Amino acid sequence: MSLLESNPRFLNTVLLGGTFTEKLEAIAKAGFNGVEVWQQDAEKAVAETRQQLDALSLARTDYQVLLNFDGAVGEKHQEKRQEALTMMTTASALGSPMILVAANTAACDPQKIVADMKWLCHHAKALDLRVAYEAMSWSTEIDQCDKAWQIIQQVDADNLGLVVDAFHIFALRRTLQDLINIPREKIFLVQLSDTEMPLGDDALKQIARHHRLLLGEGNFPLTGLVAYLDKLGYTGPVGLEVFNDHAAKQDCAGVAQRAKEALENILMKGSTDAEE
């Protein structure tokens, strides 16, 4: 069975403009069965948000994003632990099975990363939550998937796994070699986006936060990534995380529909490549 047929499809709300309700309705109408929910989407109205998602039969792919947590220094260390506890409580109340943690992009003590992630996984487990750890292309220490995998191995928690984000792999001109030897069951989430290569270092954050493209509109080797995951037997969620200021100003229903079509097209091409 190919990715086209089996894997849950999600859309991150960040692509769309409009109210949160309008975004959710557009995502459901487009045929996605899951959504990545941001803290700002839900933290002030958890019960209402859960009711909206349930009414539209939208799974909560993950709740995000815990920033600058791993290896936080000074006063930030305890502040981030308290933020994590609050976030996990909200995720549980929302019905999300997973929280997303982005590798620290601020002041970071690399000697604390493993201990911090062990602490996080311990508290997440008490709430039956999984923790998805994402290497960020501008992270202070963990900027690549293979580095994140090393941390995951050292933490050795069954509820800790990897986020494979196409942007953060290919924007650094990395390859699928970074994913070699990572078992399929330790990949918890796959986020796809596109852009035009090459990217200058100075433009990396600007493009990441404002100008990512829908799948097929740039030149990332996405079909190769999909083919690799298909051959690996990855069965988890796959979807789009596309920050694009222009798209956010357009009709959200139309953008969501184009996003779904672009996703299906890439998954079809990747699955076909995997069969060859």
Side-chain angles (χ1 to χ4, degrees):
M1 184 175 287
S2 71
L3 277 172
L4 182 68
E5 298 166 310
S6 63
N7 292 63
R9 313 290 208 266
F10 69 84
L11 183 62
N12 191 307
T13 58
V14 75
L15 174 66
L16 306 177
T19 66
F20 184 57
T21 298
E22 289 170 340
K23 292 181 182 185
L24 293 185
E25 290 175 349
I27 290 169
K29 184 178 180 181
F32 291 96
N33 49 27
V35 60
E36 289 191 292
V37 181
W38 292 78
Q39 284 178 278
Q40 56 265 41
D41 289 334
E43 61 187 357
K44 294 181 180 179
V46 178
E48 180 182 346
T49 300
R50 180 166 185 158
Q51 289 174 356
Q52 287 180 292
L53 290 161
D54 288 345
L56 293 167
S57 298
L58 284 172
R60 279 112 281 195
T61 303
D62 60 273
Y63 186 58
Q64 61 172 289
V65 55
L66 182 58
L67 296 169
N68 301 330
F69 170 82
D70 52 322
V73 298
E75 294 180 355
K76 287 290 183 183
H77 191 254
Q78 191 54 41
E79 288 178 13
K80 286 296 172 180
R81 288 198 169 191
Q82 186 56 53
E83 181 183 337
L85 291 172
T86 300
M87 183 174 172
M88 287 186 285
T89 299
T90 302
S92 180
L94 189 64
S96 173
M98 185 161 62
I99 63 167
L100 190 148
V101 183
N104 200 331
T105 62
C108 178
D109 180 351
Q111 302 303 316
K112 291 182 178 179
I113 292 176
V114 171
D116 286 342
M117 294 304 293
K118 283 185 176 181
W119 178 93
L120 184 66
C121 291
H122 171 75
H123 287 276
K125 193 176 184 68
L127 292 170
D128 197 27
L129 292 171
R130 299 205 297 173
V131 178
Y133 189 44
E134 180 177 2
M136 300 275 283
S137 49
W138 58 88
S139 289
T140 309
E141 298 288 338
I142 310 301
D143 61 348
Q144 298 160 20
C145 281
D146 54 349
K147 292 181 181 179
W149 173 233
Q150 291 173 18
I151 297 298
I152 291 168
Q153 289 176 290
Q154 292 175 62
V155 173
D156 192 25
D158 59 6
N159 64 331
L160 177 63
L162 181 71
V163 178
V164 173
D165 185 322
F167 183 89
H168 294 299
I169 295 174
F170 299 130
L172 290 182
R173 301 171 180 82
R174 305 292 297 183
T175 70
L176 299 180
Q177 189 66 34
D178 285 358
L179 303 179
I180 298 297
N181 298 323
I182 300 176
R184 63 185 180 187
E185 66 270 13
K186 296 303 285 185
I187 298 176
F188 283 3
L189 183 68
V190 173
Q191 297 175 325
L192 302 177
S193 62
D194 210 343
T195 193
E196 294 183 357
M197 295 280 282
L199 302 178
D201 292 341
D202 293 340
L204 188 64
K205 292 182 186 178
Q206 184 71 9
I207 292 172
R209 293 169 175 168
H210 302 283
H211 304 294
R212 298 192 202 190
L213 301 175
L214 291 181
L215 315 184
E217 293 182 354
N219 52 18
F220 276 169
L222 296 174
T223 54
L225 173 58
V226 170
Y228 176 84
L229 293 167
D230 202 6
K231 288 181 179 179
L232 187 65
Y234 171 71
T235 59
V238 58
L240 286 81
E241 183 185 54
V242 179
F243 296 77
N244 185 290
D245 292 352
H246 180 66
K249 296 176 183 177
Q250 300 177 31
D251 172 65
C252 62
V255 173
Q257 186 61 49
R258 295 206 314 273
K260 184 63 161 55
E261 291 169 359
L263 175 61
E264 296 301 336
N265 188 42
I266 287 293
L267 295 181
M268 176 69 80
K269 289 180 179 178
S271 295
T272 300
D273 288 353
E275 293 171 359
E276 293 178 351

